[in-house]
Amino acid sequence: MSKGWTGKILRIDLTRREYKIWEYPADLALNYIGGRGFAIKILWDELKAETNALSPDNILVFAAGPLTGLMLPCSGKLVVASKSPLTGGYGDGNVGTWASVQMRKAGYDAVIIRGASEKPIYLYIEDDKVEFNDADNLWGKDTFTAERKLRETHGKDVGVLVIGPAGENLVKYATIISQEGRSGGRPGLGAVMGSKKLKAVVFKGTKEIPVDNPEELKKLGTEGYSSLKSRKGYDFWVRQGTMMTVEWAQGASVLPTYNFREGVFDYAENIGGFAMERIKVAQRSCPYCGMPCGNVVKDAEEELSELDYENVAMLGSNIGLGDLRKVAVLNRLADTYGVDTISLGNTIAFTMEACEKKLIKDYTIEWGDYKKAIELIHDIVYRRGIGDMLAEGVREVSRRLGGDSWKWAMHIKGLEISAYDCHAAPGMALAFSTSPIGAHHKDAWVISWEVSYGRDKITKDKVMKVIEFQRIRGGMFETLVACRLPWIELGFELDWYLKYFKLATGHTITLDEYFTISDRIYALIRAFWIREYEGKWSRLMDMPPARWFEEPLTKGPLKGSKLSKDSYEQLLSWYYEARGWDDRGIPRKSTLIKLGLSFAIDDLERYINLSE
Ligand code: PTT
Ligand code: SF4
């Protein structure tokens, strides 16, 4: 195995309490790079089709890439992946955590966890040793407390991934938390850990991560950090981080408001980046960052809460709450309970709208009701009363409530939409709809580009921009594995990463070659969804919610705007064509062969006829 990769993956079986070290073949590294690439290949090969996501048979993967944990900008990230209990398809997330660094220093590029323990446990992984430790005293504890206790036991420099009560109670959008404010795995990865009775995984490594040219890498790493600091926008980024997006989104009429009914919020100023600066008390970051963006504020209960744009938009404007200190309380609860803020904000907003429309009979909550929102969060996390149903996510809640609620259940493929209203953004709607995990912005945040390019333009260029972003963000950054924010926020050129890749692994790779790998990963993820949905697949799976097509914005400069069905369908058709997928959104046989995925053909043809 080339340097850069450790060449080892740790396999853990919780049922048997056994582990094995797998020296994986070099092909896996060269064809899939790492992170998301490893995750989907492992899930495709090893997860039996149609496995219940919350059964012991589901597989949980933590995967780093060849740049993870090296001394270069923003390399402390980790991909967490599994079959999602929320969507039923492929699910992953990306978390900034010392666990990624320690896992690599322990000698692993990835960890595969299968089976389930009978009673609560946590894993302690130190180099070649794996301990299956009793977690009775941690079960039921919130994520902050549990992580602190684990650090008391194992030392403050360990890397910890932990779930809270939401994961334990199998809330379908529970996440995995690290470092008291970093969250990963929106599509219910915390519930997958909970179903395995796995409270936490603690990593400690004492080895050097092998690299091909350590001296040059160190030099270029240092240059990268200096380059970041010299960039226009660096100071403001460190002041506000992603929170600056609130003001931008309001100005562009894309700030999700009242369950994505509107794109502007009357109290946006109160929850924006400048409001945040007034209550900011500390700054945090992921390991080896270089452009820290973790804004820690004092919330309305005088506790610390780390804010990002998504959290604030979804638990603020989208539920009609215009007081940032109160929003910060809801955000902190989400972190301590270990539940995704985006899905939570969607679910609360959906409930408020359902109450307004009298679709829910014996419960009521009004827009912006802070106290009831807190109660509702407790109820969801502990699955009490109405919370038990709401813990299933809006697709399922809407199915149970019926009426026309399917039109304003704001999800795609079962994953609640992240914080950009798309009434007037067809390109962003396409990005959400074709994201490989369901409606998330991580793969193609084209909204800012689209606003300057022209929202009304329905062109192939727009489609190609979505694909370009997916290749870079979803393909490169999710496999390298490193934070994408230096590139997107400060214009840190992609060339840096290609050079880092060469110095770490000894392999030269061009951007075009990387894009082919990215396309391979995308096609395999799509194949995974189709297999898990037993071939019940059509272009409807890539359709945004009816609200954006049918109910125009009623406020702001874009009042009257809504998506055009014909225009959206046109974009989607161009998208499929460019990807080599047929008009149902299914990769063609020729595409699978071209991308080196012939092995998937027979499996898929058990469910569906593939186009040539
Ligand atoms: C990510 C999603 C996001 S994306 C946000 S805020 W963002 C929300 N954060 C949550 C949170 O916090 N607590 C919580 N309980 N739930 C949350 N849900 C939401 O989860 C995150 C940063 C951010 S902040 C972004 S954009 C970038 N995301 C990256 C990515 O996806 N890949 C990558 N290579 N680099 C990235 N860099 C940035 O990382 P998911 P984090 Mg996250 C508290 O997890 O599942 O991917 O969903 O990881 O360590 O918190 O850093 O405006
Ligand atoms: Fe983490 Fe922000 Fe730094 Fe990225 S820019 S590594 S999200 S602190």
Side-chain angles (χ1 to χ4, degrees):
M1 176 66 67
S2 318
K3 298 267 176 66
W5 294 277
T6 67
K8 291 186 185 138
I9 292 178
L10 180 64
R11 293 177 173 282
I12 297 178
D13 186 326
L14 297 177
T15 310
R16 296 163 190 265
R17 298 201 171 203
E18 284 174 0
Y19 65 96
K20 261 194 248 146
I21 295 170
W22 175 35
E23 296 198 9
Y24 62 87
D27 277 8
L28 180 64
L30 296 175
N31 293 328
Y32 296 88
I33 309 287
R36 171 184 270 181
F38 279 14
I40 184 57
K41 184 66 168 60
I42 290 164
L43 286 170
W44 178 269
D45 287 347
E46 301 189 16
L47 185 71
K48 200 163 159 279
E50 302 157 47
T51 297
N52 177 339
L54 295 179
S55 76
D57 294 335
N58 197 8
I59 294 172
L60 179 64
V61 183
F62 302 140
L67 298 194
T68 309
L70 302 179
M71 196 53 93
L72 51 89
C74 303
S75 71
K77 290 272 183 184
L78 185 71
V79 168
V80 295
S82 192
K83 176 173 174 178
S84 158
L86 179 65
T87 67
Y90 172 79
D92 72 15
N94 193 306
V95 57
T97 169
W98 281 103
S100 63
V101 181
Q102 295 290 359
M103 182 179 93
R104 290 261 286 160
K105 288 192 170 168
Y108 308 111
D109 293 325
V111 176
I112 303 173
I113 300 175
R114 46 165 42 93
S117 174
E118 269 179 17
K119 55 199 218 56
I121 54 164
Y122 76 91
L123 292 168
Y124 178 70
I125 301 170
E126 182 176 340
D127 295 342
D128 296 348
K129 176 180 81 177
V130 178
E131 289 174 5
F132 299 79
N133 291 336
D134 193 274
D136 275 343
N137 66 337
L138 298 174
W139 201 254
K141 296 270 185 296
D142 69 77
T143 61
F144 293 11
T145 309
E147 181 162 348
R148 281 176 209 168
K149 279 181 174 290
L150 287 163
R151 285 184 193 284
E152 278 165 24
T153 310
H154 295 289
K156 61 177 179 12
D157 59 339
V158 293
V160 181
L161 301 170
V162 64
I163 59 164
E168 295 172 10
N169 296 325
L170 310 183
V171 173
K172 295 275 174 67
Y173 40 93
T175 60
I176 300 169
I177 302 285
S178 192
Q179 296 169 207
E180 305 186 14
R182 303 267 137 202
S183 162
R186 289 198 53 214
L189 282 269
V192 174
M193 269 179 77
S195 71
K196 298 184 177 304
K197 288 272 191 298
L198 179 60
K199 178 70 181 179
V201 183
V202 182
F203 289 96
K204 186 174 166 69
T206 61
K207 302 176 192 170
E208 282 285 313
I209 302 169
V211 293
D212 189 64
N213 190 337
E215 286 78 32
E216 284 301 307
L217 187 63
K218 193 169 165 209
K219 209 167 124 220
L220 203 67
T222 310
E223 277 174 32
Y225 286 115
S226 315
S227 169
L228 276 187
K229 287 211 170 78
S230 68
R231 306 245 162 179
K232 186 169 160 267
Y234 176 86
D235 291 340
F236 194 57
W237 172 258
V238 174
R239 270 172 56 192
Q240 293 203 356
T242 61
M243 282 297 295
M244 67 171 84
T245 315
V246 176
E247 278 88 352
W248 177 83
Q250 171 81 351
S253 294
V254 298
L255 183 68
T257 303
Y258 302 118
N259 197 25
F260 290 90
R261 265 185 198 160
E262 309 292 347
V264 290
F265 183 46
D266 289 346
Y267 308 100
E269 215 181 296
N270 301 351
I271 60 167
F274 293 99
M276 182 280 298
E277 284 198 72
R278 291 194 286 276
I279 57 169
K280 182 168 173 175
V281 291
Q283 183 89 358
R284 288 191 194 141
S285 77
C286 309
Y288 302 148
C289 171
M291 47 179 280
C293 73
N295 296 304
V296 182
V297 302
K298 268 262 172 77
D299 67 28
E301 293 179 354
E302 300 297 318
E303 298 281 347
L304 299 183
S305 176
E306 189 174 330
L307 296 179
D308 267 305
Y309 166 70
E310 300 291 326
N311 310 330
V312 168
M314 298 313 298
L315 293 168
S317 51
N318 202 46
I319 68 166
L321 182 58
D323 178 331
L324 190 57
R325 277 164 47 85
K326 291 180 177 168
V327 174
V329 170
L330 306 187
N331 174 65
R332 171 174 47 83
L333 286 176
D335 283 350
T336 54
Y337 281 147
V339 64
D340 177 48
T341 51
I342 297 172
S343 292
L344 186 65
N346 264 286
T347 307
I348 296 173
F350 178 89
T351 311
M352 288 170 168
E353 183 159 356
C355 289
E356 183 186 66
K357 292 184 164 151
K358 311 267 182 270
L359 213 62
I360 297 177
K361 302 277 177 277
D362 42 8
Y363 175 83
T364 182
I365 180 170
E366 290 181 7
W367 294 110
D369 188 334
Y370 165 63
K371 287 215 167 100
K372 278 213 158 172
I374 291 182
E375 281 169 21
L376 201 54
I377 292 174
H378 296 313
D379 290 343
I380 290 171
V381 167
Y382 290 100
R383 287 184 168 274
R384 288 187 301 234
I386 191 174
D388 189 34
M389 173 175 74
L390 300 179
E392 297 294 308
V394 297
R395 178 170 70 179
E396 176 59 19
V397 179
S398 151
R399 198 188 60 77
R400 293 191 198 175
L401 290 182
D404 70 348
S405 68
W406 62 274
K407 294 188 176 183
W408 39 271
M410 303 305 287
H411 72 91
I412 299 169
K413 301 185 188 66
L415 185 68
E416 289 77 11
I417 297 176
S418 53
Y420 301 94
D421 184 82
C422 291
H423 276 91
M428 190 64 215
L430 180 73
F432 275 141
S433 302
T434 57
S435 146
I437 63 166
H440 193 43
H441 60 285
K442 105 158 125 203
D443 282 69
W445 187 73
V446 289
I447 185 94
S448 153
W449 174 87
E450 183 173 28
V451 167
S452 31
Y453 172 78
R455 303 167 196 247
D456 293 344
K457 287 191 193 153
I458 301 299
T459 63
K460 282 193 179 171
D461 284 351
K462 195 172 266 193
V463 170
M464 290 319 292
K465 187 52 95 177
V466 170
I467 292 178
E468 180 193 324
F469 270 37
Q470 290 178 336
R471 285 172 169 158
I472 296 170
R473 298 166 62 110
M476 281 183 74
F477 286 105
E478 297 310 315
T479 57
L480 278 172
V481 166
C483 178
R484 60 170 186 256
L485 296 180
W487 165 72
I488 191 76
E489 298 295 343
L490 298 183
F492 193 65
E493 297 79 4
L494 292 179
D495 207 35
W496 285 91
Y497 296 94
L498 301 179
K499 286 185 190 149
Y500 288 141
F501 183 85
K502 163 84 178 136
L503 294 172
T505 67
H507 287 275
T508 303
I509 191 164
T510 65
L511 210 49
D512 279 347
E513 285 163 347
Y514 219 128
F515 285 179
T516 302
I517 293 172
S518 169
D519 290 353
R520 174 178 305 133
I521 292 166
Y522 256 66
L524 192 56
I525 292 179
R526 176 76 31 158
F528 182 87
W529 276 90
I530 294 163
R531 186 172 80 175
E532 293 308 319
Y533 274 63
E534 298 169 49
K536 295 183 199 86
W537 199 266
S538 74
R539 57 195 286 138
L540 286 177
M541 294 301 292
D542 294 329
M543 211 44 82
R547 158 153 289 166
W548 287 340
F549 292 112
E550 295 179 8
E551 297 173 29
L553 294 172
T554 70
K555 283 181 167 180
L558 297 181
K559 187 174 163 183
S561 299
K562 60 177 179 163
L563 282 184
S564 145
K565 197 80 188 284
D566 289 347
S567 302
Y568 180 81
E569 291 281 6
Q570 177 63 79
L571 291 176
L572 189 60
S573 295
W574 281 331
Y575 178 91
Y576 290 159
E577 198 182 301
R579 282 220 169 268
W581 300 357
D582 68 15
D583 62 7
R584 300 167 296 173
I586 298 172
R588 293 175 180 281
K589 224 185 240 185
S590 49
T591 305
L592 293 170
I593 293 167
K594 193 176 87 193
L595 292 172
L597 299 173
S598 314
F599 61 83
I601 292 175
D602 284 353
D603 223 0
L604 280 176
E605 284 192 325
R606 282 175 37 224
Y607 298 103
I608 205 158
N609 289 327
L610 292 177
S611 308
E612 286 304 320

